[in-house]
């Protein structure tokens, strides 16, 4: 989250009707605004070697999907060549890609998981 603070200070010195110095006037205003973090889609890419059951396991374990959600995403990957596993901030997306890729490599599957800015 980006937080920007701007402070404006104005001082005026004048004289009142009697010729005496007037009090100093100081005005402060703080403006705060926040910028939402960029989001990234985590995608699974189709290949001809990774078993469908393994893809479902990856989706359940790494992306906390139910069996039904994982099966639907796996079928999208199989039928269209790519499936969206979820949308996350950069750090979370990077972690999910790493854990899915690591799980696939441990089982010697060529499953590819990538992230792209939404």
């Amino acid at each position: 989250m980006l937080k920007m603070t701007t402070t404006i200070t104005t001082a005026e010195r004048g004289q009142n009707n009697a010729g005496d110095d007037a009090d100093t006037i100081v005005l402060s205003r703080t403006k705060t605004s926040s910028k939402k973090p960029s989001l990234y889609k985590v995608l699974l890419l189709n290949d001809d070697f990774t078993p469908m059951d393994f893809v479902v396991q990856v989706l359940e374990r790494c992306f906390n999907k139910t069996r039904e959600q994982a099966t639907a995403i796996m079928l999208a990957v199989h039928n269209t060549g790519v499936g969206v596993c979820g949308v996350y901030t950069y750090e979370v997306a990077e972690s999910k890609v790493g854990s899915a890729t690591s799980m696939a490599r441990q089982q010697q599957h060529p499953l590819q998981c990538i992230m792209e800015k939404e």
Side-chain angles (χ1 to χ4, degrees), residues 44 52-53 55-60 65-79:
L44 278 181
M52 292 180 180
D53 290 338
V55 174
V56 171
Q57 286 178 359
V58 168
L59 290 164
E60 288 175 339
K65 301 296 183 186
T66 64
R67 173 72 66 170
E68 293 77 24
Q69 291 171 327
T71 302
I73 295 169
M74 178 273 298
L75 288 173
V77 171
H78 180 71
N79 293 326

Side-chain angles (χ1 to χ4, degrees), residues 9-25:
T9 304
T10 307
E12 296 179 4
R13 182 170 288 268
Q15 294 185 355
N16 61 16
N17 292 340
D20 298 329
D21 287 338
D23 292 332
T24 300
I25 300 171

Side-chain angles (χ1 to χ4, degrees), residues 74-91:
M74 178 273 298
L75 288 173
V77 171
H78 180 71
N79 293 326
T80 65
V82 66
V84 178
C85 303
V87 180
Y88 309 97
T89 60
Y90 181 83
E91 292 82 9

Side-chain angles (χ1 to χ4, degrees), residues 44-63:
L44 278 181
L45 305 180
N46 191 34
D47 64 73
D48 294 333
F49 303 103
T50 305
M52 292 180 180
D53 290 338
F54 180 75
V55 174
V56 171
Q57 286 178 359
V58 168
L59 290 164
E60 288 175 339
R61 291 184 188 166
C62 298
F63 298 95

